[in-house]
Amino acid sequence: MTEPLMPQTDLPFDELIIREYLLDNPDFFNRYPELLLAMRLPHSERGAISLVERRQELLRQRVGQLEEEITSLLAMAARNEKIFLFNTELSFKLLNCVNLEALKEVLADSLKTQFNFTHVRLISVLDADVEMQAIWAQRLRKDYYFGRLTQQEAKRLFGSEVGSVALVKLADQIPMIFAVASQDAAHFHPDMDNMLLEQLRRLLAHMLAKL
């Protein structure tokens, strides 16, 4: 005769059940506060610590993370404010330009002074050669290009090798490229934000249609 199955009492208690119980009863340790000090957790530097000590350590780490996040947000806000003020001032200067040469000079001087760019150009592709037409069609098929150029492309656009570039197609009806170059090869990259350049693109398209 087969013996009836007996519950196996030597198996460890299901940890998930304990976890779910503690999550459903967050006041458990309020009812049994002595457990907070009695229970010990392994620590890489201090051997073992109590739950209270572990909680305090986690809170300190979280406070440190929040402080870093706040510092980062403040720095970003300061940069955005600086860009906004610069863009506002530049917009007024550009609106006062009476011809294309004056507009190019103001644009180049302002961007080079503010951001230390090596080249700032407005390049017409109207009746341009095959190489320039290829840059217009391939690099600017999405209206913007951020990153590196081949040596041949860099020399065609800027007359010399450059680190990284931002290329902007002003408009299909205005066949002109707004091109900016930095000596830093990592300054312009495909994932960067185009907020400042988009504002300048719209303003330049508006101005060039009138000049």
Side-chain angles (χ1 to χ4, degrees):
M1 184 175 180
T2 304
E3 295 183 1
L5 295 176
M6 299 297 291
Q8 297 181 359
T9 57
D10 58 337
L11 293 178
F13 200 86
D14 191 339
E15 293 181 351
L16 291 179
I17 294 178
I18 299 175
R19 176 182 180 276
E20 294 299 324
Y21 178 81
L22 292 176
L23 289 174
D24 292 338
N25 298 270
D27 61 338
F28 175 81
F29 288 106
N30 288 335
R31 299 196 302 271
Y32 302 97
E34 69 280 3
L35 293 178
L36 291 174
L37 296 176
M39 298 178 68
R40 313 299 292 178
L41 298 175
H43 192 277
S44 59
E45 297 178 356
R46 297 163 58 187
I49 57 175
S50 69
L51 289 179
V52 171
E53 292 172 312
R54 178 55 176 163
R55 179 175 175 79
Q56 290 175 339
E57 183 179 46
L58 291 175
L59 288 175
R60 284 193 296 268
Q61 292 175 358
R62 182 55 182 158
V63 169
Q65 292 174 355
L66 290 174
E67 288 176 345
E68 290 179 1
E69 291 174 7
I70 291 172
T71 300
S72 177
L73 288 173
L74 289 174
M76 184 181 299
R79 288 195 300 269
N80 289 339
E81 181 182 15
K82 186 177 181 179
I83 290 174
F84 172 77
L85 293 174
F86 166 77
N87 193 57
T88 301
E89 182 66 22
L90 176 58
S91 297
F92 282 114
K93 290 180 179 179
L94 294 175
L95 288 170
N96 288 327
C97 293
V98 295
N99 55 52
L100 181 58
E101 291 305 315
L103 185 143
K104 288 182 178 181
E105 183 178 353
V106 167
L107 186 65
D109 288 346
S110 298
L111 290 174
K112 287 180 179 179
T113 300
Q114 181 70 23
F115 300 107
N116 200 31
F117 295 145
T118 56
H119 301 78
V120 178
R121 297 193 63 194
L122 286 173
I123 307 168
S124 175
V125 296
L126 187 64
D127 300 325
D129 57 33
V130 174
E131 189 176 1
M132 186 66 75
Q133 291 289 350
I135 294 173
W136 175 270
Q138 297 172 16
R139 292 296 190 185
L140 291 170
R141 62 183 180 273
K142 295 183 179 179
D143 296 340
Y144 286 92
Y145 175 77
F146 299 102
R148 305 288 300 276
L149 294 176
T150 65
Q151 292 183 2
Q152 187 175 356
E153 289 173 329
K155 289 182 179 180
R156 181 63 185 87
L157 289 171
F158 303 104
S160 64
E161 294 184 25
V162 295
S164 58
V165 304
L167 305 180
V168 183
K169 179 191 290 186
L170 292 187
D172 288 327
Q173 64 272 24
I174 304 176
M176 187 169 287
I177 299 173
F178 173 36
V180 180
S182 171
Q183 190 174 19
D184 182 359
H187 185 90
F188 294 110
H189 54 86
D191 297 326
M192 72 182 302
D193 184 84
N194 65 357
M195 180 180 66
L196 172 61
L197 290 177
E198 171 61 18
Q199 293 173 341
L200 286 176
R201 183 194 69 81
R202 295 177 62 185
L203 179 58
L204 290 173
H206 172 75
M207 292 294 298
L208 291 171
K210 297 171 60 178
L211 293 177

